[in-house]
């Protein structure tokens, strides 16, 4: 659809996901905003450049759309790539509706440039196949940033990688604060006998089946909003986690609280 309906955006297919991410990263280094889209198993193929581009950071915003497939409806496995975001030290945000898909992708570009990090937008099968109302705003033209030749930032020799690791940990702290305060994660107080922490399409299931309960909606799943989790857990009698596939949030909450 992007190639067909938005001719002003340069779009292309790549031989595989590794090449796709490298092309997008090259555009980012040159100063343009760039996006690479792939399924969860495709991010395996792109893991080699992903882990290195995590260290280099960006120039123009770099966003990766990652589509996981719980249930293996059209894939050869059910891997949960929230683990991959944590391993690569890359922020990940999770929309729970078509409207949020559009809005979170816009925010991902802003986050990428603000924190000098590639950003993963994770959707799942039911989000990818859903329909909903999307509000279209005024288009904002973002100029291409000037290219700056910086070997210490973009050439990951060991002597350059070690200082970048310190930078990544510093940015992780800033991203954690952003996760707590940006509104991507929010508490929706209801009855406090039961509190539910949830993300992605599971949030829609929770709101449909437990409309009166208190909910902590996770829209930025890495880094997790530790302060919000503590506040929410302290405010409810019993705490539940509802998520698709692996206990990613559950394990984090257990470690944080207990």
């Amino acid at each position: 659809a992007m190639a067909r309906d938005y001719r002003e955006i340069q779009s292309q297919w790549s031989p595989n996901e590794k090449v796709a991410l490298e092309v997008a990263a090259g555009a980012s280094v040159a100063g343009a905003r760039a996006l690479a889209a792939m399924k969860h198993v495709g991010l395996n193929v792109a893991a080699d450049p992903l882990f290195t581009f995590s260290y280099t950071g960006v120039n123009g915003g770099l966003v990766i759309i990652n589509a996981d497939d719980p249930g293996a409806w059209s894939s050869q496995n059910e891997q949960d790539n929230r683990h991959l975001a944590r391993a690569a030290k890359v922020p990940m945000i999770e929309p729970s509706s078509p409207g949020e898909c559009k809005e979170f992708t816009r925010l991902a570009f802003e986050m990428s440039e603000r924190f000098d990090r590639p950003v993963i937008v994770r959707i799942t099968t039911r989000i990818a196949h859903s329909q909903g109302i999307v509000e279209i705003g005024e288009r904002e033209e973002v100029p291409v940033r000037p290219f700056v030749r910086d070997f210490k930032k973009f050439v990951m020799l060991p002597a350059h990688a070690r200082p970048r690791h310190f930078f990544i940990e510093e940015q992780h702290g800033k991203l954690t604060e952003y996760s707590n305060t940006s509104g991507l994660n929010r508490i929706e107080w209801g009855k406090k006998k039961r509190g539910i922490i949830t993300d992605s399409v599971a949030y829609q299931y929770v709101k449909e089946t437990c409309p009166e309960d208190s909910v902590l909606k996770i829209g930025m799943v890495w880094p997790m909003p530790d302060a919000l989790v503590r506040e929410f857990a302290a405010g409810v009698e019993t705490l539940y986690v509802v998520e698709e596939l692996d206990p990613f949030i559950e394990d984090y909450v257990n470690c944080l609280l207990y």
Side-chain angles (χ1 to χ4, degrees):
M2 185 179 292
R4 181 186 67 239
D5 299 328
Y6 298 92
R7 297 298 180 87
E8 66 275 21
I9 300 175
Q10 182 172 329
S11 304
Q12 63 188 57
W13 292 95
S14 291
N16 58 48
E17 293 84 358
K18 179 180 186 290
V19 175
L21 182 53
E22 289 173 337
V23 171
S28 168
V29 171
R33 286 185 167 183
L35 180 149
M38 60 197 69
K39 284 174 60 177
H40 59 309
V41 288
L43 202 55
N44 292 341
V45 180
D48 173 28
L50 171 66
F51 276 69
T52 299
F53 293 143
S54 172
Y55 268 57
T56 67
V58 307
N59 185 13
L62 177 60
V63 173
I64 301 157
I65 306 294
N66 169 84
D68 278 9
D69 188 17
W73 294 101
S74 60
S75 308
Q76 58 268 49
N77 65 44
E78 296 179 85
Q79 71 190 54
D80 188 330
N81 276 352
R82 293 178 297 178
H83 299 291
L84 203 56
R86 182 173 185 170
K89 303 181 183 295
V90 171
M92 173 181 276
I93 58 180
E94 287 195 284
S96 64
S97 67
E100 283 190 351
C101 285
K102 189 271 291 183
E103 187 62 19
F104 280 25
T105 302
R106 181 186 65 81
L107 288 172
F109 280 108
E110 295 177 0
M111 287 173 56
S112 178
E113 292 169 350
R114 175 178 173 181
F115 295 103
D116 193 7
R117 317 293 300 119
V119 176
I120 299 174
V121 179
R122 176 183 182 257
I123 61 175
T124 59
T125 308
R126 292 299 143 227
I127 297 297
H129 288 233
S130 63
Q131 296 180 351
I133 296 173
V134 176
E135 294 185 9
I136 304 298
E138 291 294 324
R139 176 170 180 154
E140 179 184 351
E141 294 290 344
V142 179
V144 175
R145 294 181 168 192
F147 168 70
V148 178
R149 190 179 297 272
D150 187 345
F151 291 98
K152 291 184 178 180
K153 174 173 167 59
F154 291 118
V155 181
M156 282 301 100
L157 299 171
H160 299 164
R162 286 189 291 270
R164 289 298 295 179
H165 192 175
F166 282 101
F167 172 80
I168 287 172
E169 296 301 335
E170 290 174 354
Q171 295 305 90
H172 183 81
K174 295 176 183 177
L175 281 160
T176 301
E177 179 64 22
Y178 180 84
S179 185
N180 281 303
T181 60
S182 67
L184 284 167
N185 304 305
R186 66 174 184 265
I187 295 175
E188 300 174 355
W189 290 115
K191 293 183 177 180
K192 296 187 177 181
K193 185 174 183 179
R194 179 167 59 189
I196 303 171
I197 303 176
T198 186
D199 68 335
S200 189
V201 75
Y203 166 78
Q204 305 292 354
Y205 303 154
V206 166
K207 295 297 287 185
E208 183 176 348
T209 57
C210 309
E212 297 183 348
D213 290 336
S214 294
V215 172
L216 171 52
K217 179 187 184 297
I218 301 297
M220 184 171 181
V221 74
W222 193 256
M224 284 281 289
D226 50 4
L228 277 180
V229 170
R230 289 192 176 97
E231 177 187 349
F232 185 71
V236 298
E237 294 181 27
T238 307
L239 187 64
Y240 294 85
V241 176
V242 179
E243 56 187 322
E244 278 193 315
L245 213 58
D246 291 352
F248 183 87
I249 297 173
E250 180 184 346
D251 288 349
Y252 184 90
V253 171
N254 269 321
C255 290
L256 184 68
L257 299 180
Y258 307 116

